Amino acid sequence: MQTNSTRMSMLSRFIGCTLILAQPVFAEKTEEPIAEASEEKTTGNSTNAWGGSLSLGYDSNFFQATDYRSSRALSFHGSLYFSFWESYSLYTNSGGYRTLQGAEGFYSTDTVVGLSKSSLLTFGESGNVSISGQFSIPTSQSSQDNFLNTAFRVQTPISFKLADIGITVAPRIRKNFHQYTTSPNGNVNISWALGLLLVANYTYGDAFFSASALGGTSINYNGRWADGYSYGGSLTTGYNLRDDLSLSLTLASSGVYTDAAQGTLGSFDIFDEAKATYSLGLTYSF
């Protein structure tokens, strides 16, 4: 049977996946739930100087409530940004969740503070390249348990349109700064993380749909690359109830791809019931 700490780690990851991969363009690596600033709101020819969002969700995996592997929680997430000059924004976001089974209690996710430039360069009719850099504040229990001091991540989203579908390709690199190179369980902590996010968005009236895929690998403090590649994905559908209020349903899953011996294909499960989750969310934007 899983320990409480293991279940909390799994729960934190899937809440991060459902909260963040559902957000187009700006998702964080699978190990940690982090989002970035929203795009600037415009009214006529003026640009709002600040904005943000508040989200409330019900998150669950697909095991029955009577199964010891079942994980259910109420989660929330908040973000705030301030735009200045022509295309720069300061942003911050954080969140948490309240477990409804097992070791019931409140748990925080990590907090992010960053700076983004929304239009680094443009290409074609709809192409745009932006860039962001952000620091992580270890407010989550898992980061504190691993003695993470902070982390810095750079991301360069490349966005364009194919017909009516918005596409974003976002490479990113992250550097962790731990107090110790090993975690309390004896594993060597991750020093560098490399990832690539792919997102497709489509809107039809007040309805919206998105698909996200996130993959990456890492290097630990001993300079060793991970044996495989972590990946995650999500499908989201939702409806804008009002201009500032939306309802969404997200299905997410994650896993690890490991090359088998002698060059044969390794294990790559698109949908793993043990790791799949769903989330019902309500988001208020301002």
Side-chain angles (χ1 to χ4, degrees), residues 191-205:
S191 177
W192 292 89
L194 308 174
L196 181 67
L197 170 69
L198 304 175
V199 182
N201 298 300
Y202 176 75
T203 59
Y204 183 80

Side-chain angles (χ1 to χ4, degrees), residues 156-174:
T156 55
I158 304 168
S159 304
F160 54 92
K161 274 197 170 185
L162 291 176
D164 293 329
I165 300 176
I167 305 293
T168 298
V169 180
R172 73 261 307 265
I173 183 171
R174 169 180 165 125

